Amino acid sequence: MVGIDDLRRPGRYAVQVLAVAACYYAAARLGLLRELSVEGAVVSPVWPPTGVAVAALLILGLGCWPGITIGAFFAVMAVSTPGPDVLVTLVGQTGAPVCAALMLHRARFHTDLGRLRDGVALVFLAALTAMLISSTIGVGLLVLLDKLNPDSFWPVWLAWWVGDVMGVLLVTPLLLLLHRARWPPPLGRWPEATALAVVTCAVVPVAVYSTISVLYLVYPLLIWAALRFQLAGSVLCALLMSVLATVAATDRAGAFEGLSRIEIMAKLQAFNGAMALTALLLSALITEQRNTRRSVERACQELAEVLEHLTAGEPPPPREQPHPGDADGTDDNRPWPTTPP
């Protein structure tokens, strides 16, 4: 049996790498469906592959990084003729997610996003900080190769960086949620979930495509989703809102009608960023508060049982030892996920 397992491990690792590459490439094709032009450079307002890459590294471990490189290579081939400079591009596209995963591990990140510190770490470490690598390398390379005017560096750099950031904020939480989801979901919440979905599908198109700037109408829906369904509800609502807003922006319709390209990019990214931050941090805060309340309730119940036994002159029942970590019983010192070499 040991020999068979040893033979299977390389095959399983190869399948994981190829799966990550395929998912990265598919996400890149989706991201290329909607593009905006900034200072002559074409960028994607939301770049999903970065979210796929970060989620893959968190779920499968750092060993799956070749899949990110392979997927990025084929994504580059789909839009341009690869040259010697493609190696530098692949370094940026691979290095940013890897650095994001390393920083999250250093911050003792939990993939269930059940604590506020997990949401803050994902936002400020994985998204805002790590994605500086890919945008700086990518735009800097365009300037060095004379494909971009140096005066256009900062507008294009900002658009590239925000696209990568939005990919992490919108796609990574969704994939982490799907990885930990329990199927089938409980049926008791379906009526309210259906009502939320119907209202969202009715209100969001009106807010996005109305010529009156009423994009703020989506925030009560985000709050409802976060309060009642935590990460599952808020992430799905935020993703739908971002997709519709991106489509309207690239079509210059609704709230984005009559704006210049720079104004469209600024308005779209401000809307997407504020919405993703609200959904992620609010749901993490609510989940953390609920976990804390459950821990307090369990502690009170155990204390009541101990008092009952002491009053009856009996020894208290043995208490199950929780795992080291936070109030939710999760372990901050669990090992980093790895893939077989």
Side-chain angles (χ1 to χ4, degrees):
M1 291 300 295
V2 174
I4 294 177
D5 290 339
D6 290 340
L7 290 176
R8 287 178 178 175
R9 289 179 63 187
R12 185 179 65 178
Y13 174 64
V15 170
Q16 288 181 349
V17 170
L18 292 178
V20 171
C23 292
Y24 189 101
Y25 178 75
R29 299 299 296 180
L30 288 176
L32 293 173
L33 293 177
R34 292 289 172 171
E35 299 173 341
L36 289 174
S37 177
V38 178
E39 298 292 334
V42 178
V43 296
S44 176
V46 178
W47 189 237
T50 56
V52 172
V54 174
L57 292 170
L58 293 175
I59 295 172
L60 301 177
L62 292 177
C64 71
W65 69 265
I68 300 173
T69 305
I70 296 172
F73 174 75
F74 284 102
V76 171
M77 288 185 60
V79 297
S80 63
T81 302
D85 57 299
V86 72
L87 296 177
V88 181
T89 302
L90 295 180
V91 169
Q93 296 298 317
T94 306
V98 169
C99 289
L102 289 174
M103 286 190 290
L104 290 178
H105 176 56
R106 183 69 176 177
R108 296 180 176 180
F109 176 79
H110 290 180
T111 56
D112 59 359
L113 288 167
R115 306 172 303 171
L116 179 60
R117 60 180 287 186
D118 297 328
V120 171
L122 185 65
V123 171
F124 290 97
L125 296 181
L128 299 181
T129 301
M131 295 305 116
L132 295 172
I133 298 174
S134 56
S135 59
T136 302
I137 292 178
V139 182
L141 183 63
L142 294 177
V143 173
L144 291 176
L145 296 177
D146 292 329
K147 295 181 179 180
L148 182 69
N149 192 318
D151 295 336
S152 302
F153 176 87
W154 289 112
V156 177
W157 178 90
L158 181 61
W160 188 314
W161 175 67
V162 173
D164 285 345
V165 168
M166 293 309 305
V168 175
L169 294 182
L170 291 174
V171 178
T172 298
L174 178 63
L175 295 180
L176 295 179
L177 174 67
L178 293 176
H179 174 65
R180 300 179 62 89
R182 296 180 181 179
W183 301 100
L187 299 179
R189 307 294 299 280
W190 275 106
E192 185 179 1
T194 303
L196 175 61
V198 171
V199 174
T200 301
C201 292
V203 173
V204 175
V206 174
V208 171
Y209 283 95
S210 174
T211 54
I212 305 174
S213 185
V214 289
L215 291 176
Y216 54 83
L217 290 179
V218 304
Y219 289 99
L221 298 175
L222 280 178
I223 296 173
W224 179 10
L227 286 174
R228 300 297 296 165
F229 301 99
Q230 287 78 58
L231 186 65
S234 62
V235 167
L236 291 176
C237 283
L239 184 61
L240 173 62
M241 296 169 185
S242 176
V243 169
L244 291 179
T246 301
V247 172
T250 52
D251 291 340
R252 296 192 174 188
F256 303 92
E257 184 178 357
L259 301 179
S260 66
R261 293 178 177 179
I262 297 296
E263 291 173 339
I264 290 175
M265 176 63 72
K267 188 172 184 178
L268 175 63
Q269 300 297 27
F271 171 74
N272 283 342
M275 180 185 54
L277 288 174
T278 301
L280 184 60
L281 297 182
L282 183 59
S283 62
L285 178 61
I286 293 172
T287 302
E288 183 180 43
Q289 289 180 343
R290 291 197 172 190
N291 290 336
T292 302
R293 185 186 64 186
R294 290 170 184 169
S295 298
V296 173
E297 291 175 351
R298 285 197 301 266
C300 292
Q301 184 179 0
E302 292 175 359
L303 179 59
E305 293 176 356
V306 170
L307 292 176
E308 289 179 1
H309 283 78
L310 292 177
T311 303
E314 301 175 356
R319 181 174 178 270
E320 183 179 354
Q321 295 294 330
H323 294 288
D326 297 314
D328 58 356
T330 53
D331 186 3
D332 276 338
N333 297 315
R334 54 192 173 185
W336 177 253
T338 57
T339 49

